[in-house]
Amino acid sequence: MRKLILSSFDENSLYSKLDSERKESDLNRTGTPSRDDYERDYGRIVHSAAFRRLQSKTQVFGVGEGDFHRTRLTHSMEVAQIARGISLALNLKDSILNGIHGKIDTSLIEAAALSHDFGHPPFGHQGERALNEKMINFGGFEGNAQTFRILTRLERGNGLNLTRATLMAILKYPILYSQAVNVEVYNQHKYSPPKTSVYDDDKERFEWVTNILEPNEKDYYSELDKMDHKQKHHKTKHKSLECSIIELADDIAYATHDVEDALRLKLIDISELIDILKKYRLENDKALIKAANKLEDLIKGKINHSSQIIKDAIADIISLFISSVKIQEENCYTSPRIRYKAVLPAKLEDLINDLTKIVKEKVIDLQRVQTLEWKGGYVVKKLFEALQSEKKLLRISDQVLINTGMNLERVVCDYIAGMTDSYAIKMYSRLYESKESRLFDI
């Protein structure tokens, strides 16, 4: 059970009353609040339907390929735990935070981390590319932007009404889709979406989140790294302090837990991980030395229980990452949540990159994985075509939205993006396959 640690600090310079504001007035149900605003955000996210759906969405391996490897749900929980650990360590020892009397709110961090993947469609990145291809002329699709849309518009019919600070913590790419897109990429029939956290349709809600920033701070927050060639979309350069922590936690979880899954499935050899660790370990890197030694002893047969040894070695690596995060001052703006950023030493960033690279080479690019991804993308495209052509195939609530003026394609996109992998397969089967299906099997 999650043990709450006091996260509300007197005279905490990181947060103001404006940060805990909600877009809509929100009366406390009990009349006597027992939780702070960010604890309430955490509760709303944990009890949301979008959170439950993550259990049946692909992380790397398809959800039907076994019951051991990670799903989007377990990945999100691990990201939240790592982000919490980073925050607690920084609150305890970071000189910049101590100097400004600031403490990172751990409930806010966990709430945002748990919800950071809400917008991912079925079948992972292939599903994302497929939806974006179908939505290019209708505002596009991107998983991070869909997360913001779910939290602010779709969940519970009008969003979860979260605090401004929590929403800012999930804005990994704080720019509109139309401002990030490079149309030259699409002209080459490449349909990976631009990195953006907001659709143009949701501009008003985005502006509400950021209206506490001064004009020059807004410009800095949404500053773009413009691409002058045809291969890549434009990308933002900056994010909030909490978002930078969650991004690091996400990268750490990908780099370590996906490697752990691959080791246990024997897609990556233990010796390959040892070689990577040896490349980076120095005399003072006790965690990497410890992890590499455990794995070498396992190979030499000096110790048994390979599953536990692998987990212990991965835990040592994660511990090193968490303890190495520092706060860095990025600028001299007034708002501390865009003035500061969480960073890892360059050497450990390179280690994350190498771990991620071996997962891509040995797992993601594997023919078995790619065939399932391709199939997933095909299913998403065919579902979109069917639902776009006949709105009676949509839920009654979606038909009502269309009848009241909402764009048909956006409604179809929202519906498909919210599907789990298994639900999408069942819907595809009902629409396109001749085998018998039951009325209530979806």
Side-chain angles (χ1 to χ4, degrees):
M1 180 179 292
R2 173 179 176 269
K3 181 180 179 182
L4 298 182
I5 295 180
L6 184 64
S7 57
S8 296
F9 298 88
D10 293 333
E11 299 181 2
N12 188 349
S13 66
L14 284 184
Y15 308 100
S16 69
K17 289 183 179 180
L18 293 175
D19 289 309
S20 60
E21 279 186 346
R22 303 177 190 275
K23 194 171 188 300
E24 307 295 336
S25 59
D26 197 28
L27 298 177
N28 190 278
R29 285 189 172 89
T30 63
T32 54
S34 56
R35 301 174 296 168
D36 68 20
D37 290 297
Y38 305 130
E39 274 291 332
R40 292 170 67 196
D41 283 353
Y42 176 89
R44 292 178 187 194
I45 285 166
V46 167
H47 292 288
S48 68
F51 182 66
R52 293 193 298 276
R53 289 192 190 100
L54 293 177
Q55 67 185 311
S56 296
K57 289 194 175 186
T58 295
Q59 173 65 9
V60 173
F61 303 98
V63 293
E65 297 302 303
D67 58 4
F68 163 75
H69 52 263
R70 269 83 179 177
T71 65
R72 284 283 170 188
L73 178 63
T74 56
H75 167 73
S76 297
M77 294 172 69
E78 288 167 339
V79 170
Q81 189 275 328
I82 293 171
R84 179 182 176 84
I86 292 171
S87 301
L88 291 173
L90 290 173
N91 285 343
L92 183 65
K93 67 179 184 179
D94 189 80
S95 59
I96 289 180
L97 286 182
N98 291 334
I100 65 171
H101 304 290
K103 298 289 184 181
I104 299 162
D105 193 289
T106 53
S107 295
L108 186 162
I109 282 285
E110 285 190 276
L114 287 175
S115 63
H116 83 282
D117 269 352
F118 273 14
H120 275 262
F123 311 114
H125 292 293
Q126 191 67 268
E128 182 180 50
R129 285 189 289 271
L131 270 182
N132 187 52
E133 179 181 350
K134 292 298 183 181
M135 287 294 294
I136 280 177
N137 296 320
F138 308 102
F141 177 84
E142 205 272 354
N144 294 286
Q146 193 69 17
T147 294
F148 185 74
R149 184 172 175 83
I150 288 170
L151 295 176
T152 60
R153 293 185 69 160
L154 301 181
E155 190 70 16
R156 295 188 186 175
N158 195 35
L160 294 178
N161 198 27
L162 302 177
T163 61
R164 180 182 276 110
T166 298
L167 291 173
M168 201 170 190
I170 61 99
L171 288 170
K172 187 175 180 181
Y173 308 104
I175 198 71
L176 299 181
Y177 184 101
S178 63
Q179 295 171 312
V181 71
N182 180 356
V183 294
E184 293 293 338
V185 176
Y186 296 153
N187 291 338
Q188 300 176 74
H189 305 289
K190 297 178 180 179
Y191 298 110
S192 291
K195 296 298 185 181
T196 173
S197 290
V198 190
Y199 299 127
D200 290 56
D201 287 349
D202 302 322
K203 179 180 179 181
E204 183 267 338
R205 287 166 171 79
F206 173 60
E207 289 179 342
W208 175 82
V209 173
T210 60
N211 68 10
I212 60 171
L213 299 176
E214 296 294 332
N216 58 344
E217 292 178 329
K218 285 185 182 180
D219 291 341
Y220 172 82
Y221 184 50
S222 296
E223 183 181 0
L224 277 176
D225 186 6
K226 284 275 190 178
M227 299 297 169
D228 57 1
H229 53 76
K230 300 178 180 180
Q231 302 300 318
K232 293 183 179 181
H233 294 290
H234 312 307
K235 189 176 179 180
T236 53
K237 296 181 177 181
H238 311 294
K239 52 184 64 66
S240 71
L241 171 60
E242 292 85 359
C243 190
S244 70
I245 291 172
I246 293 167
E247 182 179 38
L248 286 177
D250 195 22
D251 291 345
I252 292 167
Y254 269 124
T256 56
H257 292 138
D258 288 353
V259 166
E260 181 186 350
D261 283 354
L263 285 170
R264 293 195 182 188
L265 293 170
K266 300 189 184 304
L267 297 176
I268 294 176
D269 191 82
I270 293 176
S271 63
E272 294 176 294
L273 176 57
I274 293 174
D275 288 342
I276 292 175
L277 297 182
K278 284 183 175 179
K279 177 180 174 182
Y280 287 97
R281 72 183 188 186
L282 300 173
E283 289 303 317
N284 60 343
D285 283 334
K286 295 181 180 179
L288 293 186
I289 294 172
K290 185 178 178 182
N293 288 343
K294 286 179 180 178
L295 294 173
E296 286 180 328
D297 287 345
L298 181 61
I299 289 178
K300 294 174 182 177
K302 294 182 179 181
I303 48 178
N304 297 316
H305 308 295
S306 61
S307 177
Q308 187 58 48
I309 296 304
I310 291 172
K311 179 163 283 295
D312 285 348
I314 294 296
D316 290 336
I317 298 169
I318 293 174
S319 179
L320 172 64
F321 284 133
I322 290 175
S323 63
S324 299
V325 176
K326 306 291 183 185
I327 298 293
Q328 177 176 291
E329 187 173 25
E330 293 284 285
N331 54 68
C332 296
Y333 290 123
T334 302
S335 174
R337 297 178 57 234
I338 64 167
R339 182 173 181 173
Y340 303 106
K341 177 184 179 182
V343 296
L344 272 172
K347 186 187 73 169
L348 293 184
E349 287 277 9
D350 291 341
L351 173 55
I352 285 179
N353 291 335
D354 274 4
L355 292 173
T356 303
K357 181 179 178 182
I358 195 173
V359 169
K360 184 179 186 305
E361 291 175 350
K362 298 288 186 174
V363 182
I364 295 175
D365 289 343
L366 196 66
Q367 185 260 355
R368 285 176 286 169
V369 174
Q370 286 299 307
T371 53
L372 289 173
E373 279 206 5
W374 186 92
K375 178 181 178 181
Y378 178 81
V379 166
V380 167
K381 290 179 185 179
K382 298 304 288 185
L383 286 178
F384 191 97
E385 291 168 5
L387 298 175
Q388 183 187 32
S389 67
E390 177 52 77
K391 72 177 183 180
K392 289 182 180 179
L393 298 176
L394 291 164
R395 299 168 297 188
I396 296 297
S397 58
D398 290 332
Q399 295 179 41
V400 170
L401 290 174
I402 295 167
N403 292 336
T404 55
M406 186 171 286
N407 177 269
L408 165 65
E409 285 74 20
R410 181 57 67 190
V411 172
V412 170
C413 181
D414 287 340
Y415 182 31
I416 295 174
M419 293 180 181
T420 62
D421 293 19
S422 57
Y423 185 98
I425 289 291
K426 288 178 181 178
M427 176 65 86
Y428 174 86
S429 178
R430 169 171 283 193
L431 291 173
Y432 288 102
E433 295 178 355
S434 59
K435 68 178 183 180
E436 181 182 357
S437 60
R438 297 179 182 179
L439 184 61
F440 298 106
D441 64 357
I442 58 173

